[in-house]
Amino acid sequence: MPNAEHVLARLAAIGYRETAPRRAIVDLIADRSSSFTAQDLYEELDRRGIGRATVFRTLNLLHDMGLVNRIHTGDGCHRYTLCEPVHHHHLVCNECGQVFPLDGCPVEKEVQSAANAVAFQILGHHVEVFGLCADCIPKA
Amino acid sequence: MPNAEHVLARLAAIGYRETAPRRAIVDLIADRSSSFTAQDLYEELDRRGIGRATVFRTLNLLHDMGLVNRIHTGDGCHRYTLCEPVHHHHLVCNECGQVFPLDGCPVEKEVQSAANAVAFQILGHHVEVFGLCADCIPKA
DNA sequence: TTTCATGCAAATGATTTGCAGTGTT
DNA sequence: AACACTGCAAATCATTTGCATGAAA
């Protein structure tokens, strides 16, 4: 669970500048225990004068560096989580966005033999498991 | 591998009308061996006077009925495949969109115990494995 | 003839981009 | 002083929606 300072340090190490907006965004992300959307962050940051574009740009930067995880939901937008750069997936609650990490990856080995059979070179994969967390089951 | 007539019949059975645009769309889909986007279909169908909205509406209908599979790619839009309504996933080529079905599902059992541990109710999941097919490896 | 489906164009919503000004190094 | 970074607004892109017309039952 990388904290805000750690993330900023990583950025600086690669030559990115430590700016106030980036710090604000990373701080905000570090506080979240569950997943969030770009819009969630923007609603907070808009008041502080930080633009939408900066939110998206920073999120992309963090994602490219492997510091945040991008979750492909079905509803048109993405959710993000701040997490360790170890390959894993999540259970994602449809209602509140809370995430529960899954240990290991059920896909990698299982699929490799099928790929070999057709000479397919696997470059990556997405797995998203969605449903309702214990808190939200009553509401539905 | 459901053919066009079969799909139309399924629609009719539930009370949907058999219209010329729907027939054209389903025919076009049935001809594709690989995956396609809504845009792919629209480029063909536009000439025949079929509107973009109808393409999306029909694709949604077919997807809701489980007659096409929706693939969540990273690049902002969806890909679709016509396939049997049995739960499975695919290898998807980043270059040409060709798909290779995977037998079985590596996720369902593997993840259930983790879900039970936190009283999470699984409603569904996405799995997309992407990479390069044998034909496209040389190009990259 | 009643109801569903269509095409069109405008609306939406998430994300990106151009650009001139600003803050970091 | 260079140049990366920012906010803003306009631009994209995929997809949806409102509405009046046209076709299927």
Side-chain angles (χ1 to χ4, degrees):
Chain A
M1 53 198 79
N3 60 37
E5 277 316 311
H6 176 243
V7 172
L8 268 305
R10 287 280 293 271
L11 289 176
I14 318 180
Y16 289 101
R17 294 181 176 172
E18 272 184 51
T19 67
R22 282 186 182 149
R23 189 178 301 279
I25 292 170
V26 172
D27 278 345
L28 197 54
I29 292 175
D31 280 346
R32 309 238 160 191
S33 63
S34 64
S35 67
F36 54 88
T37 64
Q39 182 64 24
D40 290 340
L41 296 184
Y42 177 62
E43 278 164 18
E44 282 279 317
L45 294 162
D46 183 29
R47 299 177 217 146
R48 307 191 214 166
I50 295 176
R52 214 191 333 262
T54 300
V55 174
F56 280 102
R57 282 191 278 238
T58 303
L59 243 15
N60 285 340
L61 176 59
L62 296 174
H63 177 253
D64 290 347
M65 296 180 57
L67 295 171
V68 300
N69 213 290
R70 178 178 278 145
I71 297 168
H72 299 255
T73 60
D75 61 6
C77 76
H78 291 135
R79 310 201 125 255
Y80 298 86
T81 57
L82 180 61
C83 61
E84 332 197 31
V86 175
H87 180 75
H88 67 292
H89 306 290
H90 304 92
L91 304 173
V92 185
C93 178
N94 281 347
E95 287 295 317
C96 68
Q98 193 173 359
V99 295
F100 303 88
L102 295 169
D103 293 334
C105 172
V107 171
E108 266 163 4
K109 314 101 197 169
E110 300 259 344
V111 161
Q112 191 59 56
S113 60
N116 290 341
V118 292
F120 187 97
Q121 181 186 354
I122 294 176
L123 295 178
H125 63 266
H126 302 312
V127 175
E128 352 276 351
V129 183
F130 48 89
L132 297 170
C133 74
D135 295 340
C136 292
I137 290 176
K139 303 181 202 160
Chain B
M1 48 199 81
N3 60 37
E5 277 315 311
H6 176 244
V7 171
L8 268 304
R10 287 282 291 270
L11 290 177
I14 319 180
Y16 289 103
R17 294 182 178 172
E18 271 184 53
T19 67
R22 282 187 182 148
R23 190 179 302 277
I25 293 171
V26 172
D27 278 345
L28 198 54
I29 293 175
D31 280 347
R32 310 237 159 192
S33 63
S34 64
S35 67
F36 53 89
T37 63
Q39 182 63 23
D40 291 339
L41 296 185
Y42 177 61
E43 278 165 19
E44 281 279 319
L45 294 162
D46 183 29
R47 301 177 214 146
R48 307 192 214 167
I50 295 176
R52 214 192 328 267
T54 300
V55 174
F56 280 102
R57 282 190 278 235
T58 302
L59 243 16
N60 284 341
L61 176 58
L62 295 174
H63 177 254
D64 289 347
M65 295 181 57
L67 294 171
V68 301
N69 212 290
R70 178 178 279 146
I71 298 169
H72 300 255
T73 60
D75 62 6
C77 75
H78 291 135
R79 310 201 125 255
Y80 297 85
T81 58
L82 180 61
C83 62
E84 333 197 33
V86 175
H87 180 76
H88 66 292
H89 307 289
H90 304 92
L91 303 173
V92 185
C93 178
N94 282 347
E95 288 295 318
C96 68
Q98 194 173 0
V99 295
F100 303 89
L102 295 169
D103 292 334
C105 171
V107 171
E108 267 164 2
K109 313 100 197 169
E110 298 261 345
V111 162
Q112 190 58 57
S113 61
N116 291 341
V118 292
F120 187 95
Q121 180 185 357
I122 294 176
L123 294 177
H125 63 267
H126 302 315
V127 174
E128 351 275 352
V129 182
F130 48 90
L132 296 170
C133 72
D135 295 341
C136 292
I137 289 175
K139 303 182 201 160

